[in-house]
Amino acid sequence: MTPRATHLSAAATLVAAVPVAVWGLLGRQDVEGFSASELDYAYRPLDISDGAAAVVGVVALLLAGVGGALLVRASRRGELERRWWEVLAPLMPAGVIVGVGWRVLTAGVLGVNVGAGLTMLFGGPVVAGLLLWALVRGIWPANRRPAGHYRRGQQIEFAPREA
């Protein structure tokens, strides 16, 4: 596997594992003392036990740690441009908001789930803004050419000038 493919895999693992780790480690947020049939849900949660969700969360946390460590090592060695951290940095809090938001949206409550409404009202635009920021910052380094390449306004010479 090439270093570029390794970095891409590590970044994808990191970005995908963060919301899963938060979701799994946070656990169900149902009101205590009531059975599931007595509770109201904005969205029905996945039918996964808390123990299995915790195991999935721990595995995702370990994967996120490995992906992050690989990227930090590559960045310190100069194999990964530091500008790519400007793309990854907003995706981490977006993942945390998505993980917490999913637990809030699927929480069993008595009556109205006010947290679900607030999550959609505030969490959605914040996540959208972070994703937009990452997209804009990702387009900039991807389109930037290394030094020595043609730049706008630069005169191009196809053959050396004769003296």
Side-chain angles (χ1 to χ4, degrees):
M1 189 181 268
T2 65
R4 183 176 178 155
T6 303
H7 301 154
L8 182 61
S9 298
T13 300
L14 177 63
V15 170
V18 167
V20 175
V22 171
W23 169 84
L25 296 175
L26 192 58
R28 302 259 320 242
Q29 300 297 307
D30 294 344
V31 174
E32 295 181 13
F34 296 93
S35 68
S37 62
E38 296 176 306
L39 297 174
D40 298 316
Y41 296 94
Y43 296 95
R44 281 268 179 208
L46 300 172
D47 192 21
I48 298 175
S49 69
D50 281 340
V55 169
V56 168
V58 168
V59 169
L61 183 64
L62 292 173
L63 287 172
V66 169
L70 285 172
L71 291 172
V72 167
R73 189 179 96 205
S75 184
R76 296 189 92 211
R77 287 182 172 179
E79 298 170 357
L80 177 72
E81 289 187 48
R82 295 184 191 270
R83 292 180 295 174
W84 285 107
W85 285 106
E86 295 176 17
V87 176
L88 292 172
L91 296 176
M92 297 307 101
V96 170
I97 293 169
V98 167
V100 171
W102 186 251
R103 283 299 188 181
V104 170
L105 288 171
T106 59
V109 296
L110 297 174
V112 176
N113 188 345
V114 176
L118 292 174
T119 298
M120 286 190 261
L121 183 65
F122 295 111
V126 169
V127 168
L130 290 168
L131 293 177
L132 182 63
W133 176 261
L135 178 67
V136 168
R137 297 308 293 176
I139 291 171
W140 177 67
N143 288 333
R144 188 156 185 226
R145 294 183 180 101
H149 286 265
Y150 170 75
R151 292 185 187 95
R152 183 181 293 182
Q154 178 181 356
Q155 183 177 358
I156 300 174
E157 295 182 19
F158 294 105
R161 292 183 188 182
E162 295 180 31

